[in-house]
Amino acid sequence: MVKKLKMMAMVLVGLAFFTLGHPVLAQEREQESVVTPQAYKYLLDTSCLHTLDGTNIGVSGTTHTYSAVDKITTTTYLEKKTSSSWTVVKSWTNSTYNSSYCDVDSSYTGVSGTTYRVRCYHQAYEGNIVETNTSYSDVFTVK
C-alpha cells in the first residue's frame, strides 16, 4: 500500500511539473521564433548612382527620411580603382534642414581606361540621434 501511494505521489508530482512547465516552454519557443528585423527609425531610402557620357561622369546620391528631421547630409565620393583598393578622387556634400529629402548631383571628367564607382554616405539627424548608411553604385570603366 505504501508503494502504491509513493508511486501515485510521484506520478502526480510529475504531472504537476509537466502541466506547470509546459506553458513556460511554449512561451520560450514563441519568443525564440519572433524575428525582429533591424530597421531605421528615420532613414527611409538611400541611393547612389552614376551616369557616363564619354568621359563625363555624373554622380548623384539621395537620402530620404520617413518624415522631416533636423538635418540630412548626403556625401558622394567618386572613387577610382587602384590595384586592390579604392581611392577617393573627388567628393561633394549637401545638407538640408527640417526636411525629409537631401540630394547631391555633380559631374567629373574621368580618365579613359580608369575604373570608377560612386560611394554615398547618408546621415539623418533628429535630436541627439544620428542614423547613417553607405550605398554604392555599380563599378564602371571610362572608355
Side-chain angles (χ1 to χ4, degrees), residues 43-64:
L43 284 175
L44 170 65
D45 184 42
T46 59
S47 64
C48 190
L49 303 168
H50 80 275
T51 58
L52 187 59
D53 182 14
T55 59
N56 189 36
I57 302 168
V59 300
S60 65
T62 58
T63 307
H64 291 266

Side-chain angles (χ1 to χ4, degrees), residues 59-74:
V59 300
S60 65
T62 58
T63 307
H64 291 266
T65 56
Y66 287 101
S67 59
V69 294
D70 294 340
K71 179 182 175 183
I72 303 172
T73 299
T74 305

Side-chain angles (χ1 to χ4, degrees), residues 91-109:
S91 66
W92 301 266
T93 300
N94 186 30
S95 294
T96 59
Y97 299 86
N98 301 313
S99 178
S100 62
Y101 178 81
C102 180
D103 69 339
V104 173
D105 290 306
S106 199
S107 62
Y108 184 83
T109 303

Side-chain angles (χ1 to χ4, degrees), residues 19-132:
T19 304
L20 295 174
H22 187 67
V24 172
L25 290 174
Q27 287 177 346
E28 288 177 11
R29 286 187 185 144
E30 190 173 310
Q31 289 173 351
E32 289 173 1
S33 67
V34 174
V35 177
T36 305
Q38 181 178 348
Y40 291 106
K41 184 174 182 178
Y42 300 107
L43 284 175
L44 170 65
D45 184 42
T46 59
S47 64
C48 190
L49 303 168
H50 80 275
T51 58
L52 187 59
D53 182 14
T55 59
N56 189 36
I57 302 168
V59 300
S60 65
T62 58
T63 307
H64 291 266
T65 56
Y66 287 101
S67 59
V69 294
D70 294 340
K71 179 182 175 183
I72 303 172
T73 299
T74 305
T75 304
T76 59
Y77 302 90
L78 179 64
E79 300 178 327
K80 70 177 180 178
K81 182 79 167 168
T82 54
S83 62
S84 62
S85 63
W86 293 94
T87 302
V88 174
V89 175
K90 180 102 173 134
S91 66
W92 301 266
T93 300
N94 186 30
S95 294
T96 59
Y97 299 86
N98 301 313
S99 178
S100 62
Y101 178 81
C102 180
D103 69 339
V104 173
D105 290 306
S106 199
S107 62
Y108 184 83
T109 303
V111 176
S112 295
T114 304
T115 301
Y116 296 93
R117 73 177 180 188
V118 180
R119 175 174 52 96
C120 296
Y121 186 62
H122 313 271
Q123 298 170 295
Y125 299 82
E126 181 63 25
N128 61 352
I129 297 172
V130 180
E131 292 182 348
T132 63

